[in-house]
Amino acid sequence: MTGHNGDEEPITDLRSALRRLARHPGQLLETDHPVDPIGELAGVYRRIGAGGTVQRPTRLGPAMIFDNVTGYPDARVLVGLMASRKRVGILLESPPDRLTQRMSEAYDKAVGPVEFHGGDAPCQQVVHRADDPGFDLRKVLPAPTNTDQDAGPYFCLGLVLGSDPELGTDVTIHRLCVQSRDEMTIFFAPGRHIDAFRQRAEQAGRRFEITVNMGLDPAIHIGAEFEAPTTPLGYDELAVAGGLRGKPVELVRGVTVAEKAIAAAEVVIEGYIVPGERQAEDQNTHTGHAMPEFPGYDGPANPALPVIKVTAVTTRERPILQTLVGPGEEHVSLAGIPTEASIFHALHDAMPGFVTEVYAHSAGGGKFLAILKCAKQSAFDDGRARQAALLAFGVYSELKNVVLVDTDVDIFDTDDVLWAMQTRMQGNRDIITVPAVAGHVLDPSQQPAYDPTLPAKGTTSKTIFDATAPYHLRAEFTRARFRDVDPRPYAPDLDLEYP
């Protein structure tokens, strides 16, 4: 059981989160072996702990801090902070199998951000201004590449914060490719709220000021992954992090922009999106590829992306730049747990107590595949289970497949879910498809070239796999029952939990 001990230091930023992890054996590894951020760092971590759908061989392992980054004596790189559900449980003070409910409760108890008070903000201990003739973003921060085909160095965990004078504030993680000494391109998947803010600014002919915040309390990153309709246009997702910690996130005004930054961040890039300007994502490499994305493939390099003009970089002393290796388990945690919470919250409101657990499976990158545990009480509930799946599609538009299971199935155990699909499902009656609806552009099967019946790229056929036993036949689907025996005296070295 993971929980908060009143004697423990509270988690208020990335460094306190790392100190918490360090007290849990096998969760954090620090190395001073030299590592090149270009390709090598990701190649190392792919084998040590990336997990997820990243190229095999891989495994779930510890988070890693690289203290000796080639060419960057003043910076460190952290990877894999949330690349296991157990580790997220430690960081969010929750049992791993209750993280869905923990996030749902945080949404209900949201606490909005406040202004930082108390002298100099930690994120502004060191200031690099872009108008300094010697400034070069590429020399200040070690932006990694994941593969040799990447369009360029990327910031993979940059939380972009921007505001609209009428609609409010939004925070979202986007892929940011470093293009020159003071420019980056930014990729917006369709429907992102901060992109709507950017478009409104562009239509008005004004620059859109933003901050890119990196190296954060993990509650901020994971809280920012909630999406519409759970968090409607103008909803500030920093409030979810406030709900997780029971206190507000503190913000400070930027040094060179009017926008706010997260005061406790390790790194903040300040700048603005230039109205009307577009650049090719791979203009410096011409690889045709962007970077590995969560579905497990290299995303294609975009020929025309909005451009961020960097005006300053502010950091803590000897900052920790946080990144991830995709498509790994860290993306599953970041995207998947808020996905679960959104679906669980909506289904609890619509049919209280019926869907007891939700898991956004690693195979779908935390977005495409959800397992729903249904507590059937009558024959009528055979239909309610399928209704729950349809509601899940409405709550999270990027969801592609839903598997429905009974309460005796462990939704976090893929073998158990597949067992239910083999013994409690008949393809001709228990597979339901919903054709040609909105999905996600990064799935290469979601395009008319793959399926000519699809109207556009990013549309898909969605599928419900009903692996629940028909209620009137439930007695025939009772699992073999074993005696419940405490195994610990028989295998004390295995560190088993009981019950």
Side-chain angles (χ1 to χ4, degrees):
M1 172 76 83
T2 302
H4 177 58
N5 183 328
D7 296 329
E8 284 190 303
E9 174 191 11
I11 296 176
T12 58
D13 59 7
L14 178 60
R15 298 189 185 198
S16 56
L18 292 173
R19 288 191 291 270
R20 176 75 63 90
L21 269 191
R23 292 193 288 273
H24 292 262
Q27 294 299 330
L28 182 63
L29 175 63
E30 192 163 0
T31 177
D32 62 1
H33 192 84
V35 68
D36 191 332
I38 305 304
E40 189 172 46
L41 187 150
V44 170
Y45 193 67
R46 189 258 292 190
R47 288 179 174 267
I48 289 178
T53 58
V54 79
Q55 182 189 29
R56 271 49 185 165
T58 188
R59 61 193 287 272
L60 289 182
M64 287 191 71
I65 301 174
F66 293 86
D67 288 326
N68 188 355
V69 183
T70 304
Y72 300 88
D74 297 326
R76 297 166 282 172
V77 175
L78 167 69
V79 64
L81 182 65
M82 289 176 276
S84 86
R85 198 176 183 97
K86 179 178 180 180
R87 193 148 59 243
V88 177
I90 293 169
L91 295 167
L92 297 188
E93 301 168 335
S94 168
D97 61 357
R98 299 299 294 173
L99 282 165
T100 307
Q101 291 80 0
R102 174 93 165 93
M103 291 295 297
S104 178
E105 291 165 3
Y107 174 78
D108 285 335
K109 299 176 180 177
V111 178
V114 297
E115 186 175 349
F116 174 81
H117 293 287
D120 296 332
C123 71
Q124 295 174 348
Q125 291 172 346
V126 179
V127 177
H128 306 269
R129 292 179 177 269
D131 56 10
D132 184 324
F135 176 87
D136 191 330
L137 177 62
R138 297 164 297 189
K139 296 178 180 178
V140 175
L141 298 173
T145 63
N146 273 308
T147 77
D148 294 333
Q149 291 76 45
D150 285 11
Y154 279 91
F155 296 113
C156 299
L157 278 175
L159 188 72
V160 182
L161 188 156
S163 303
D164 181 275
E166 297 174 356
L167 299 177
T169 297
D170 187 65
V171 288
T172 328
I173 299 170
H174 301 279
R175 76 180 191 225
L176 304 166
C177 188
V178 179
Q179 300 294 354
S180 67
R181 65 176 292 276
D182 64 352
E183 290 181 333
M184 302 184 291
T185 50
I186 180 169
F187 173 78
F188 294 105
R192 296 296 182 258
H193 291 165
I194 205 164
D195 190 32
F197 296 175
R198 190 269 310 171
Q199 291 175 30
R200 282 166 56 89
E202 189 167 76
Q203 289 164 5
R206 57 181 172 83
R207 67 189 203 177
F208 179 51
E209 295 191 342
I210 59 167
T211 62
V212 180
N213 302 265
M214 294 181 280
L216 307 171
D217 172 358
I220 296 176
H221 267 142
I222 203 165
E225 287 292 302
F226 275 99
E227 295 183 10
T230 305
T231 51
L233 185 65
Y235 184 98
D236 189 344
E237 291 89 353
L238 292 176
V240 179
L244 282 166
R245 296 300 184 208
K247 64 175 195 173
V249 175
E250 295 184 314
L251 302 176
V252 64
R253 185 185 174 98
V255 173
T256 59
V257 295
E259 189 52 87
K260 299 292 181 65
I262 296 169
E266 292 285 325
V267 175
V268 175
I269 300 175
E270 301 180 4
Y272 59 90
I273 297 180
V274 184
E277 184 172 347
R278 301 290 185 270
Q279 291 181 11
E281 196 168 13
D282 65 342
Q283 60 186 291
N284 296 311
T285 60
H286 306 291
T287 64
H289 298 276
M291 58 171 286
E293 287 283 6
F294 73 90
Y297 303 94
D298 285 340
N302 196 296
L305 288 180
V307 178
I308 298 173
K309 191 75 170 178
V310 176
T311 55
V313 175
T314 72
T315 74
R316 289 188 173 208
E317 297 283 353
R318 197 150 190 261
I320 304 170
L321 181 72
Q322 191 177 350
T323 189
L324 60 75
V325 170
E329 193 70 18
E330 188 155 20
H331 189 284
V332 174
S333 296
L334 282 164
I337 296 171
T339 298
E340 298 164 10
S342 296
I343 294 170
F344 177 82
H345 193 278
L347 293 180
H348 179 73
D349 286 347
M351 42 183 76
F354 182 68
V355 173
T356 60
E357 295 181 21
V358 180
Y359 173 43
H361 199 284
S362 297
K367 287 177 175 280
F368 289 167
L369 173 61
I371 320 298
L372 274 56
K373 181 181 286 192
C374 303
K376 292 184 178 181
Q377 302 295 326
S378 69
F380 183 73
D381 288 341
D382 288 342
R384 294 182 81 211
R386 298 181 179 196
Q387 179 67 24
L390 293 172
L391 285 170
F393 287 140
V395 168
Y396 195 76
S397 66
E398 295 170 0
L399 187 61
K400 183 179 180 183
N401 297 308
V402 171
V403 181
L404 303 169
V405 298
D406 294 300
T407 55
D408 62 342
V409 175
D410 181 352
I411 64 171
F412 300 103
D413 183 337
T414 298
D415 285 347
D416 217 28
V417 173
L418 288 174
W419 167 81
M421 294 178 72
Q422 307 323 302
T423 63
R424 298 179 178 179
M425 194 181 84
Q426 287 293 313
N428 64 318
R429 69 177 296 275
D430 295 321
I431 297 177
I432 304 100
T433 59
V434 184
V437 288
H440 199 294
V441 294
L442 292 179
D443 175 357
S445 75
Q446 297 187 26
Q447 56 175 311
Y450 186 96
D451 178 358
T453 68
L454 295 175
K457 184 178 176 62
T459 56
T460 188
S461 174
K462 303 198 175 190
T463 310
I464 301 167
F465 300 90
D466 188 349
T468 61
Y471 186 79
H472 73 286
L473 295 176
R474 62 193 182 282
E476 297 184 33
F477 290 88
T478 301
R479 300 182 79 157
R481 299 186 183 277
F482 294 82
R483 186 181 302 177
D484 195 8
V485 180
D486 184 352
R488 292 174 296 182
Y490 304 91
D493 295 335
L494 294 184
D495 193 28
L496 298 169
E497 294 185 4
Y498 181 84

